[in-house]
């Protein structure tokens, strides 16, 4: 039986592939206020802006590649039962070869009905006005916007509760409920925290190993530490 490694990834791992994160630029995401492009209110106020914004993000995604951090996480499946829980909406973990991925905040390459959350389609082209579900409702990006429920959270909690090892990579641990997942790990489960500017984790009961590196370097160090644990 392989040990279960659960990995929570955030924008830091995708940033190395060239995908920008708004949290590093004063609340602006590719020049837009996040409240205008990542909230239900923004969608209702100016859906054309929102559609154009995500069409551009979808095009950008086609121009980037998984980086070494993504690739090493995929390689770890040779020795561990790896589950990735990601806050990222890109498909870089999939393209790197990881098998078990839970997207907390939705997926850029999917769309859904604006009236029926369970009607979801794969979508690689632009999304335009007039693209509708079978009942005539406009399709929208399959993104969990600020203020919306996180449908995948229960699955993520269940996975986290079974972790033998838990790693946090490239996330500020400021976005909830994702940041709260760490509290669902078994109390003896070691936590590895990879971030060049690691945040403090209050009231953590688990053993903690902070790796203050960018994601690709940190994941390489993580692999060495985990494989060393298997030899003990």
């Amino acid at each position: 039986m392989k040990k279960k490694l659960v990995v929570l990834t955030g924008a830091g791992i995708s940033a190395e592939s060239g995908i920008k994160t708004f949290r590093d630029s004063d609340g602006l995401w590719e020049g837009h206020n996040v409240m205008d492009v990542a909230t239900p209110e923004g969608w209702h106020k100016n859906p054309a802006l929102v559609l154009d914004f995500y069409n551009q993000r979808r095009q950008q995604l086609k121009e980037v590649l998984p980086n070494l951090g993504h690739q090493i996480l995929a390689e770890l499946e040779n020795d561990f039962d790896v589950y990735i829980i990601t806050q990222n909406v890109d498909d870089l973990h999939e393209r790197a070869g990881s098998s078990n991925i839970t997207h907390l905040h939705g997926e850029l390459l999917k769309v859904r009905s604006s009236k029926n959350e369970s009607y979801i389609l794969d979508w690689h082209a632009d999304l335009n006005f007039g693209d509708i579900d079978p009942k005539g409702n406009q399709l929208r990006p399959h993104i969990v916007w600020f203020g919306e429920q996180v449908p995948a959270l229960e699955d993520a909690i269940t996975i986290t509760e079974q972790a033998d090892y838990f790693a946090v990579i490239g996330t500020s641990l400021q976005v909830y409920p994702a940041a709260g997942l760490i509290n669902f790990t078994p109390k003896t489960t070691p936590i590895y925290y990879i971030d060049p500017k690691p945040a403090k984790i209050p009231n953590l009961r688990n053993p903690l190993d902070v790796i203050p590196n960018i994601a690709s370097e940190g994941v390489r160090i993580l692999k060495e530490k985990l494989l060393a644990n298997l030899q003990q």
Side-chain angles (χ1 to χ4, degrees), residues 129-227:
F129 276 119
D131 292 326
I132 55 176
D133 70 9
K135 294 187 177 181
N137 300 304
Q138 174 66 40
L139 297 174
R140 55 159 275 184
H142 183 50
I143 304 293
V144 177
W145 289 325
F146 289 100
E148 293 186 320
Q149 296 294 314
V150 181
L153 182 61
E154 290 301 319
D155 288 343
I157 289 172
T158 300
I159 293 166
T160 299
E161 289 173 336
Q162 302 168 20
D164 295 304
Y165 303 100
F166 191 84
V168 179
I169 303 172
T171 172
S172 62
L173 291 175
Q174 302 299 308
V175 177
Y176 285 84
L181 281 174
I182 204 166
N183 299 318
F184 290 93
T185 54
K187 62 182 178 182
T188 56
T189 295
I191 307 271
Y192 297 88
Y193 183 20
I194 299 169
D195 199 285
K197 299 177 182 177
K200 287 189 166 45
I201 307 177
N203 306 316
L204 184 66
R205 53 195 179 158
N206 304 64
L208 176 64
D209 188 345
V210 177
I211 303 172
N213 297 80
I214 61 172
S216 56
E217 293 175 4
V219 175
R220 180 182 55 77
I221 294 168
L222 171 68
K223 181 179 180 180
E224 293 172 358
K225 288 175 178 279
L226 290 173
L227 292 178

Side-chain angles (χ1 to χ4, degrees), residues 36-153:
D36 293 333
V37 295
T39 63
E41 293 79 12
W43 169 249
H44 293 304
K45 177 183 175 183
N46 193 344
L49 172 66
V50 175
L51 288 175
D52 180 63
F53 177 80
Y54 288 99
N55 287 342
Q56 290 184 44
R57 304 288 73 69
R58 212 173 288 113
Q59 289 301 318
Q60 181 193 47
L61 185 53
K62 296 176 183 178
E63 300 168 3
V64 300
L65 296 170
N67 60 60
L68 188 60
H70 297 105
Q71 293 163 2
I72 294 174
L73 288 178
E75 292 168 5
L76 280 167
E77 292 187 15
N78 294 326
D79 298 287
F80 298 90
D81 191 9
V82 182
Y83 287 81
I84 293 174
I85 301 169
T86 186
Q87 296 168 261
N88 301 330
V89 298
D90 58 63
D91 66 338
L92 297 179
H93 284 301
E94 285 89 345
R95 280 198 259 158
S98 289
S99 304
N100 304 305
I101 305 158
T102 299
H103 283 270
L104 284 176
H105 295 158
E107 298 180 61
L108 197 51
L109 297 181
K110 292 184 178 180
V111 299
R112 72 170 189 253
S113 167
S114 56
K115 299 295 184 183
N116 178 6
E117 288 187 12
S118 63
Y119 185 80
I120 301 168
L121 299 172
D122 291 328
W123 202 273
H124 291 255
D126 283 353
L127 179 62
N128 301 305
F129 276 119
D131 292 326
I132 55 176
D133 70 9
K135 294 187 177 181
N137 300 304
Q138 174 66 40
L139 297 174
R140 55 159 275 184
H142 183 50
I143 304 293
V144 177
W145 289 325
F146 289 100
E148 293 186 320
Q149 296 294 314
V150 181
L153 182 61

